């Protein structure tokens, strides 16, 4: 169940659905030029890492490190899930429910969770397409070049999250890897539209930027009252992201402790619920730096060391055959 491979199309759809929530809720008020540039750089690095780990050649010690790191990332993102609904900040109910649903979905196996995301993909495209189209019609073009220099470590954390697919058994992306660029394009587009519709003080002070924009959107000159749709879209996105991260832990656990993945997942859920209720503070810059190290630097180093070892073995074999 946990070692069944996710297809390339399923993975791409899953990543898009999962990234819509943090992109729309958290990054939409950032400088869209910086966000897009950071996104392209992060996704390029993710593409390299996904290619060199296609053969599921991650050593067990690195799988342990990445599984533990996913626990931290889930804890960080769960702090924002309650803010997907108005007046939800500080309320533990929404984070706990989404943690449970994400864990339950992941317990069915990554391939099953990916199929669910594949169905949600079309709903998310239509929903965000509608919201952003209405927002585009109210864009103040004089603010298209942003004055804000908000970049933040959170942008790096969010845009490196697709690297968690390292832990999930998957088919090769091949040429479809280019579709990963849809992720920074969507993030940059959302940041551009929201940042040009909302005043700067709202962008800097709101916990749910796409929701704030939906309150001011007008449809045919009348306020559209699209808040409920936006809240639903963001909540579905957080569910998909939580399911994706839990699936990474489940797949890593199956590799480390075969047959024990479900037990590990439910134990992780208990830990996450406790951390969510306790509201443990997490420094975003530390998380961003660690994400770069764990998702990008370590896999590249491990892959490079393995290639050197293989080349030495081949050279020794050639030398032995030559001496005979």
């Amino acid at each position: 169940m946990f070692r069944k491979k996710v297809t390339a199309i399923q993975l791409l759809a899953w990543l898009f659905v999962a990234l819509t929530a943090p992109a729309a809720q958290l990054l939409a008020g950032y400088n869209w030029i910086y966000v897009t540039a950071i996104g392209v750089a992060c996704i390029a690095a993710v593409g390299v890492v996904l290619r060199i780990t296609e053969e599921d050649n991650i050593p067990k010690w690195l799988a342990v490190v990445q599984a533990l790191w996913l626990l931290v990332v889930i804890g960080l993102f769960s702090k924002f899930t309650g803010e997907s609904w108005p007046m939800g900040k500080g309320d533990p109910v929404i984070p706990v429910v989404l943690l449970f649903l994400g864990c339950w979905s992941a317990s069915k196996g990554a391939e099953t969770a990916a199929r669910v995301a594949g169905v949600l993909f079309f709903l998310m495209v239509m929903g965000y397409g509608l919201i952003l189209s209405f927002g585009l019609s109210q864009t103040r073009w004089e603010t298209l070049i942003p004055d804000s220099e908000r970049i933040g470590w959170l942008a790096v954390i969010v845009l490196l999250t697709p690297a968690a697919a390292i832990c999930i058994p998957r088919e090769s992306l091949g040429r479809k890897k280019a579709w990963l660029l849809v992720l920074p394009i969507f993030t940059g587009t959302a940041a551009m539209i929201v940042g040009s519709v909302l005043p700067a003080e709202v962008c800097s002070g709101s916990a749910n930027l796409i929701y704030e924009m939906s309150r001011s959107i007008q449809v045919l000159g009348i306020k559209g009252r699209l808040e409920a749709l936006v809240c639903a879209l963001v909540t579905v996105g957080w569910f998909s992201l939580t399911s994706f991260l839990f699936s990474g832990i489940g797949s890593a656990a199956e590799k480390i402790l075969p047959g024990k993945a479900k037990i590990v997942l439910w134990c992780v859920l208990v830990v996450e619920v406790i951390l969510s209720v306790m509201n443990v503070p997490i420094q975003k810059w530390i998380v961003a730096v660690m994400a770069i190290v764990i998702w990008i630097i370590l896999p590249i180093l491990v892959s490079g060391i393995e290639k050197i070892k293989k080349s030495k073995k081949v050279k020794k074999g050639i030398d032995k055959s030559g001496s005979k």
Side-chain angles (χ1 to χ4, degrees):
M1 182 196 304
F2 289 95
R3 303 310 297 170
K4 191 172 181 180
K5 289 188 176 183
V6 174
T7 67
I9 297 296
Q10 286 175 335
L11 179 61
L12 291 169
W14 199 1
L15 291 176
F16 175 80
V17 176
L19 221 66
T20 54
Q25 179 176 326
L26 305 178
L27 301 184
Y30 283 59
N31 184 314
W32 68 269
I33 297 175
Y34 292 158
V35 165
T36 305
I38 291 172
V40 170
C42 288
I43 291 302
V46 169
V48 171
V49 171
L50 291 180
R51 181 178 59 80
I52 64 178
T53 57
E54 284 177 351
E55 298 178 2
D56 195 21
N57 53 359
I58 293 294
K60 284 188 177 182
W61 69 266
L62 184 54
V64 171
V65 171
Q66 290 174 339
L68 291 173
W69 182 244
L70 282 172
L71 193 149
V72 175
V73 175
I74 292 172
L76 174 64
F77 282 133
S78 69
K79 294 179 180 298
F80 301 109
T81 57
E83 297 165 358
S84 57
W85 288 86
M87 308 303 290
K89 188 173 183 179
D91 185 355
V93 175
I94 295 175
V96 169
V97 170
L98 286 174
L99 285 170
F100 173 79
L101 292 175
C103 182
W104 174 77
S105 175
S107 70
K108 304 297 180 181
E111 195 271 341
T112 301
R115 279 192 279 117
V116 173
V119 175
L120 295 174
F121 171 79
F122 298 100
L123 299 176
M124 302 296 273
V125 168
M126 290 187 291
Y128 277 110
L130 181 69
I131 299 295
L132 294 177
S133 296
F134 286 138
L136 185 63
S137 67
Q138 296 180 228
T139 296
R140 295 173 295 147
W141 298 105
E142 67 274 11
T143 62
L144 195 59
I145 303 301
D147 294 327
S148 170
E149 295 187 0
R150 291 182 71 205
I151 305 175
W153 292 105
L154 192 58
V156 178
I157 298 169
V158 170
L159 294 164
L160 280 181
T161 300
I166 294 170
C167 303
I168 296 174
R170 65 196 183 280
E171 295 179 358
S172 172
L173 288 177
R175 293 184 178 180
K176 297 184 183 72
K177 188 160 62 258
W179 285 100
L180 288 171
L181 289 173
V182 171
L183 303 178
I185 290 172
F186 170 82
T187 305
T189 302
M192 179 186 71
I193 294 174
V194 173
S196 62
V197 171
L198 295 177
E201 59 271 16
V202 176
C203 289
S204 61
S206 175
N208 191 342
L209 295 161
I210 194 76
Y211 173 79
E212 293 296 337
M213 187 187 77
S214 70
R215 296 175 63 187
S216 62
I217 285 178
Q218 292 186 355
V219 181
L220 300 177
I222 304 172
K223 279 206 170 183
R225 309 302 299 175
L226 299 172
E227 297 98 315
L229 173 61
V230 168
C231 290
L233 290 172
V234 173
T235 303
V236 169
W238 282 124
F239 157 72
S240 188
L241 178 60
T242 307
S243 172
F244 172 67
L245 298 175
F246 268 111
S247 295
I249 293 177
S251 299
E254 184 66 21
K255 182 174 185 176
I256 301 162
L257 300 169
K260 306 293 184 182
K262 277 192 177 183
I263 297 174
V264 171
L265 278 175
W266 293 114
C267 289
V268 169
L269 174 63
V270 173
V271 173
E272 293 292 356
V273 169
I274 293 172
L275 292 176
S276 176
V277 174
M278 291 175 61
N279 196 24
V280 178
I282 301 176
Q283 294 293 328
K284 295 182 183 67
W285 73 269
I286 297 176
V287 178
V289 171
M290 291 301 295
I292 295 171
V293 172
I294 292 173
W295 291 135
I296 306 301
I297 296 176
L298 283 181
I300 290 176
L301 284 177
V302 169
S303 176
I305 292 170
E306 287 297 320
K307 286 183 178 180
I308 292 172
K309 287 181 178 179
K310 285 181 181 180
S311 64
K312 285 183 177 179
K313 287 181 180 179
V314 171
K315 188 176 180 180
K316 285 182 180 179
I318 293 173
D319 290 342
K320 286 182 180 179
S321 61
S323 62
K324 289 180 181 180

